[in-house]
Amino acid sequence: MSKIYLGACGYGDLFKQGYGLQTTALSTALFNDGATCGACFQISCAHSKWCKKNAGSIRVTATNFCPPNYTKTEEVWCNPPQKHFDLSMPMFLKIAQYKAGIVPVVYRRVMCYRKGGIKFELKGNPYWLLVLVYNVGGAGQVVDVKIKGSNNGNKWIQMTRNWGQNWQTWERLQGQTLSFRVTASNGRVVQSNDVAPENWEFNKVYEGNNFKN
């Protein structure tokens, strides 16, 4: 288990946001410059004497990045091209013994199950809007976000990914109700109309619709 560097996906309080300890940081090969943030994985310990018997598998959400280490000959598990999951300790202990530190695993992408709707946390300033998109069900991984203000008619504004799952626009949208259209990595789209009221505020969280599994 190597050190997890927080914040690479843009998520804040993982307990408050519903992710808890069921999380993992991804190595460079899996992280994809933050595009994989929010995806869910099923992981099992395999072919090691340190695997716990009958442990089964765990489900975790990608919430962080495990950075490569080019200065040492050890602790290189997150270096390319290795596919490595840096689990929270409680999740690691569900499948393997503590003394192992590192174990081989088998894994696969799975659907994410979330309570409630997709959350949109609005940040920025009057000239720049940054939206953290989280609590995403279904594929979990968001690949496209569009926003629409009530004064824009039917015009959807293309947002760009700033980092992790933070999406941005320079359109000025104050005094308008906000709607969002979110596309997941499996191509499914969910639209949430009038998520934020016209008097929306920065640093507030608003809830929309979610993907159905």
Side-chain angles (χ1 to χ4, degrees):
M1 302 291 289
S2 53
K3 184 178 180 180
I4 296 177
Y5 287 75
L6 300 176
C9 288
Y11 304 128
D13 187 331
L14 297 179
F15 286 93
K16 184 178 180 180
Q17 293 172 344
Y19 297 115
L21 293 171
Q22 296 176 312
T23 60
T24 184
L26 302 179
S27 64
T28 303
L30 293 169
F31 191 66
N32 193 22
D33 291 328
T36 312
C37 291
C40 294
F41 295 87
Q42 183 180 62
I43 301 173
S44 302
C45 183
H47 312 302
S48 171
K49 65 179 182 180
W50 304 116
C51 293
K52 289 187 175 178
K53 292 184 178 180
N54 303 315
S57 61
I58 57 173
R59 282 176 174 252
V60 291
T61 302
T63 58
N64 274 306
F65 174 53
C66 183
N69 188 338
Y70 300 115
T71 62
K72 297 181 179 180
T73 56
E74 67 274 4
E75 296 182 11
V76 295
W77 304 103
C78 291
N79 291 17
Q82 297 190 90
K83 296 179 179 179
H84 179 75
F85 297 89
D86 203 351
L87 301 170
S88 67
M89 184 60 71
M91 298 308 293
F92 179 82
L93 293 178
K94 286 181 179 292
I95 59 173
Q97 298 180 45
Y98 175 81
K99 64 178 66 176
I102 300 290
V103 293
V105 299
V106 292
Y107 72 93
R108 66 187 180 100
R109 283 282 298 269
V110 293
M111 301 296 279
C112 299
Y113 298 96
R114 305 294 180 212
K115 294 182 179 179
I118 294 176
K119 304 293 180 62
F120 303 92
E121 183 176 348
L122 309 185
K123 298 174 282 187
N125 57 56
Y127 308 99
W128 173 66
L129 179 62
L130 186 70
V131 181
L132 171 63
V133 182
Y134 67 96
N135 198 53
V136 181
Q141 179 184 351
V142 175
V143 297
D144 186 76
V145 179
K146 292 180 175 64
I147 190 171
K148 182 173 66 174
S150 55
N151 296 345
N152 290 354
N154 293 321
K155 177 186 176 183
W156 285 96
I157 300 165
Q158 180 67 59
M159 304 190 79
T160 57
R161 191 165 63 87
N162 185 294
W163 59 286
Q165 284 300 348
N166 281 285
W167 296 78
Q168 65 186 0
T169 179
W170 283 268
E171 294 282 342
R172 301 188 66 174
L173 296 169
Q174 283 73 26
Q176 305 179 52
T177 59
L178 304 180
S179 301
F180 292 92
R181 183 180 288 173
V182 177
T183 303
S185 57
N186 59 1
R188 294 180 63 186
V189 179
V190 65
Q191 184 169 313
S192 301
N193 295 323
D194 303 324
V195 170
E198 62 182 19
N199 61 341
W200 60 266
E201 300 177 32
F202 291 113
N203 302 314
K204 292 291 183 68
V205 178
Y206 300 92
E207 184 173 349
N209 300 320
N210 215 330
F211 293 97
K212 296 181 180 179
N213 295 314

